[in-house]
Amino acid sequence: MSAPTTDIEKAAGVLRDGGLVAVPTETVYGLGANAEDPTAVKRVFQVKGRPPSHPLIVHIGGAEHLDDWVQDVPPAARLIAERFWPGPLTLVLRRGRRVPLEATGGLDTVAVRVPDHPVALALLTIFGGAVAAPSANRFGSVSPTTADHVRAELGDAVDFVLDGGPCQVGLESTIVDATGDVPAILRPGGVTREDLETVLGHPLPVHSASQVRVPGQHPSHYAPQARVVLVEPEHVHAEGERARARGHRVGILLPPSAADAPVTTHAVIAVPASMPAYARGLYGYLRELDQQGCDLIIACLPAEDGLGLAIANRLRRAAGPRPSR
């Protein structure tokens, strides 16, 4: 889906005036501000309830603009950018002078990417700058993959919602730390570890925590209102029955391997066997189970290869220690 040019021009004007725009990307919708406007960037944190030490991702219009926003780009980062941009891949590099510390959580590194969405790219072209944008939702909650998700959660706190249709990847970008001698994945996402290793020609470590702060590493993240419990596929039905007997309104993300057994819990969503389809639908499934009144969601981790690694990462964060709400 594309947006009318008049809407894109209006969104660019909002950004120039220091406002906030919900921006569609191929991953999730972002809550965007002019990356060079510290006051606008601070407002992003206020609207989300996001800790100011938690960095944002700076979105640029093309790999040719990379040196405008960062410095000291190593060859491996150039190679990754050439292969995967536009796309769901974020590079962490040394911050350039145009990026204020407000956008980086006070760090001298910055996370930067080129989104693969025609509306986002048109907005960046018309705006003529960079857009700092985390996901357009309250901090720690389920990321939005439609414009309606943004409106439902943030309402009038967003100055303009640019509707570009449903997100086609559905999970946030892969974040790669390219500041060291060997690149490392700090957050699995829409570009797989296997694809990166093929391009780079060597194995890539995946760090669940690092000295470089990046989005998505909070212990609880991507979480619905319902508590998420992770079990093995063969235990899904038994765990659901036990929770129902304790009085819970149980929702199940039913894996294909358990789809043939009868289910008597409150709500059930059969997840696709296709990992791209599962990734595209995951956040919508979690929102739907919240809307159906579930207070507990039972899920299983997929095999952790390909996009399964990113899905497993999101489910683990969703099941992490519950923040106060």
Side-chain angles (χ1 to χ4, degrees):
M1 175 179 175
S2 185
T5 301
T6 52
D7 284 357
I8 299 173
E9 291 172 341
K10 181 176 180 180
V14 171
L15 291 172
R16 292 188 194 103
D17 291 339
L20 303 186
V21 174
V23 181
T25 78
E26 79 282 21
T27 58
V28 301
Y29 273 72
L31 181 62
N34 180 353
E36 295 183 88
D37 183 341
T39 300
V41 170
K42 286 179 182 178
R43 191 170 158 223
V44 170
F45 287 91
Q46 293 165 359
V47 167
K48 280 183 62 74
R50 184 185 183 95
S53 61
H54 209 60
L56 307 183
I57 293 176
V58 173
H59 295 70
I60 61 176
E64 67 272 18
H65 302 302
L66 182 60
D67 291 298
D68 295 337
W69 303 95
V70 304
Q71 55 184 329
D72 302 330
V73 182
R78 299 271 186 207
L79 182 60
I80 291 171
E82 289 170 5
R83 171 60 182 83
F84 295 107
W85 283 354
L89 189 286
T90 294
L91 289 170
V92 177
L93 294 160
R94 300 297 174 191
R95 178 179 66 92
R97 287 181 293 179
R98 292 181 68 177
V99 181
L101 288 170
E102 285 82 359
T104 69
L107 301 176
D108 284 328
T109 56
V110 61
V112 61
R113 86 174 185 102
V114 180
D116 188 14
H117 193 292
V119 175
L121 291 172
L123 174 63
L124 288 163
T125 297
I126 293 172
F127 174 54
V131 173
S135 55
N137 56 281
R138 303 293 179 188
F139 180 71
S141 67
V142 179
S143 301
T145 53
T146 70
D148 285 342
H149 292 164
V150 179
R151 296 185 185 104
E153 185 155 355
L154 297 182
D156 293 339
V158 184
D159 298 307
F160 189 73
V161 176
L162 188 55
D163 191 344
C167 299
Q168 292 304 301
V169 174
L171 294 180
E172 293 82 358
S173 59
T174 303
I175 298 180
V176 174
D177 178 9
T179 60
D181 294 334
V182 178
I185 295 174
L186 302 185
R187 180 181 71 184
V191 170
T192 68
R193 177 183 190 176
E194 292 85 351
D195 285 344
L196 283 162
E197 290 178 342
T198 296
V199 168
L200 292 173
H202 59 74
L204 217 60
V206 179
H207 297 159
S208 59
S210 71
Q211 292 183 339
V212 179
R213 295 194 305 274
V214 296
Q217 286 192 329
H218 194 271
S220 176
H221 221 77
Y222 320 112
Q225 293 295 318
R227 184 165 64 92
V228 176
V229 174
L230 302 177
V231 302
E232 295 297 325
E234 61 269 23
H235 299 151
V236 165
H237 297 290
E239 184 61 32
E241 288 301 319
R242 282 193 291 268
R244 187 172 70 89
R246 295 195 298 267
H248 287 289
R249 290 172 67 86
V250 181
I252 293 179
L253 293 180
L254 192 66
S257 61
D260 292 336
V263 179
T264 59
T265 49
H266 176 69
V268 176
I269 294 176
V271 303
S274 160
M275 289 299 102
Y278 190 4
R280 190 161 50 247
L282 175 61
Y283 291 150
Y285 303 151
L286 295 176
R287 286 177 180 273
E288 181 178 338
L289 293 176
D290 269 346
Q291 290 166 2
Q292 292 194 38
C294 298
D295 62 15
L296 188 145
I297 296 171
I298 296 173
C300 309
L301 298 180
E304 296 188 41
D305 51 18
L307 278 175
L309 179 63
I311 295 169
N313 170 270
R314 301 312 189 271
L315 287 171
R316 284 197 179 95
R317 298 288 180 178
R322 306 293 289 180
S324 58
R325 292 187 172 179

